[in-house]
Amino acid sequence: MIFVVLFSAPIGYPTGAYVRVDDGAPLRVVAKVFEERGVVGNARMFEAVTRVLGNDRNIQAGYYFFSREENMIWVAMRLLAGDFETSAIRITIPEGTSINGISKILLQKLPEFNNREFMSRAQEGYLFPDTYFFRPGESTDAILSVFDNTFHSKISKIQKQITASGRTLDELLTMASILEKEASKTKDRQQIAGVLWQRIKIGMPLQVDAVFPYIMGKNTFELTREDLQFDSPYNTYTNKGLPPGPINNPGLDSILAAATPTKTKYIYFLSDKQGNFHYAVTYAQHLANKKKYID
């Protein structure tokens, strides 16, 4: 019986599971956790085996990954050696993803990711979209620190253009988050940025639909006239100027476009069914474009 317990994996072994060992947890507690998770069949016997094999006072905290069935002796050896058998998980954050979207991606990829804490502490617009590598069990502090370091590293590459724009970083990030949803090409983004900055200059509401998925979960094709009057400081139809802050986390191209807009007299723009943009100075010209390219 003892031979079976020592040299065979217990029935119902949690293959593919992560098991957390808290910092400073005594062997007795760790053994009980392992038993409850099905990693070992007998907590007391696991304690005894671990003490025989090594110094149980040096147990390393962290997430241990159990990719395959292992017997009690092997599990004890891994615990004493701090062999987590974990590797960094590759996570890609697409440009224009909101904090809510990023949180969902991390929650899907990282075991026991603290979704609520992340959502409450992250700042929209400042989580740079990129490919990251996080280890299971990373703290919210560690994850946010990586995002913060990446953001400042990327932003430093266009700092001259940001300074020359005469606008604050938050203003540029807010505009960039709108551009991220309005167009995909640099030239188009710069042209639209010129139009939107011009609207702000003359005191005209931005009137962009890009904010509605953020404030009420509806895209352009789902909006009604009543929706355009939705009570929100982010509503660009009922409020003039920029929204209070970014509506997503824009990439470097959109940020650069916001900082280097194409100088223009255009006030109106629309996109046709092929994704091409058409601009107008007057509302009459805009209606003509709408009739020609959309209706």
Side-chain angles (χ1 to χ4, degrees), residues 232-254:
S232 169
Y234 285 86
N235 189 332
T236 56
Y237 282 81
T238 57
N239 300 285
K240 294 180 180 181
L242 288 169
I247 58 173
N248 58 57
N249 295 275
L252 202 62
D253 186 76
S254 289

Side-chain angles (χ1 to χ4, degrees), residues 269-278 289 292-294:
F269 71 95
L270 59 79
S271 173
D272 63 25
K273 296 177 181 179
Q274 286 71 45
N276 300 310
F277 288 91
H278 304 276
N289 283 342
K292 182 177 180 181
Y293 298 108
I294 297 180

Side-chain angles (χ1 to χ4, degrees), residues 58-175:
N58 295 324
I59 293 174
Q60 294 191 42
Y63 281 81
Y64 288 80
F65 181 56
F66 297 93
S67 61
R68 60 191 178 282
E69 291 188 355
E70 298 171 345
N71 62 47
M72 184 179 289
I73 293 176
W74 188 256
V75 172
M77 291 173 63
R78 282 188 56 192
L79 183 65
L80 293 168
D83 181 5
F84 301 107
E85 205 178 271
T86 58
S87 56
I89 299 173
R90 187 176 189 268
I91 300 176
T92 298
I93 306 299
E95 295 178 346
T97 306
S98 66
I99 286 176
N100 184 51
I102 292 175
S103 185
K104 288 180 179 178
I105 293 172
L106 295 177
L107 187 62
Q108 183 181 26
K109 297 283 187 177
L110 296 177
E112 297 191 31
F113 168 69
N114 194 325
N115 181 55
R116 289 185 179 180
E117 183 180 11
F118 181 85
M119 290 280 289
S120 67
R121 294 177 56 188
Q123 186 176 0
E124 197 78 82
Y126 289 81
L127 302 180
F128 196 83
D130 204 349
T131 295
Y132 295 89
F133 292 87
F134 295 116
R135 289 187 177 279
E138 293 256 30
S139 66
T140 302
D141 280 333
I143 293 173
L144 289 175
S145 178
V146 171
F147 273 111
D148 186 60
N149 290 337
T150 301
F151 176 83
H152 286 96
S153 175
K154 298 292 185 179
I155 286 295
S156 66
K157 297 178 181 179
I158 59 170
Q159 189 57 55
K160 290 183 179 180
Q161 291 91 332
I162 289 174
T163 302
S165 74
R167 296 184 171 94
T168 67
L169 179 57
D170 197 58
E171 287 174 332
L172 293 177
L173 290 174
T174 302
M175 178 62 78

Side-chain angles (χ1 to χ4, degrees), residues 185-221:
K185 297 178 181 179
T186 304
K187 184 178 179 181
D188 292 331
R189 286 171 172 170
Q190 289 178 309
Q191 184 71 62
I192 293 172
V195 171
L196 297 182
W197 287 125
Q198 179 71 0
R199 287 183 181 180
I200 291 175
K201 182 179 179 180
I202 65 175
M204 175 182 173
L206 291 182
Q207 296 181 336
V208 290
D209 296 346
V211 298
F212 288 99
Y214 184 77
I215 62 178
M216 61 189 306
K218 286 188 175 183
N219 60 39
T220 299
F221 304 104

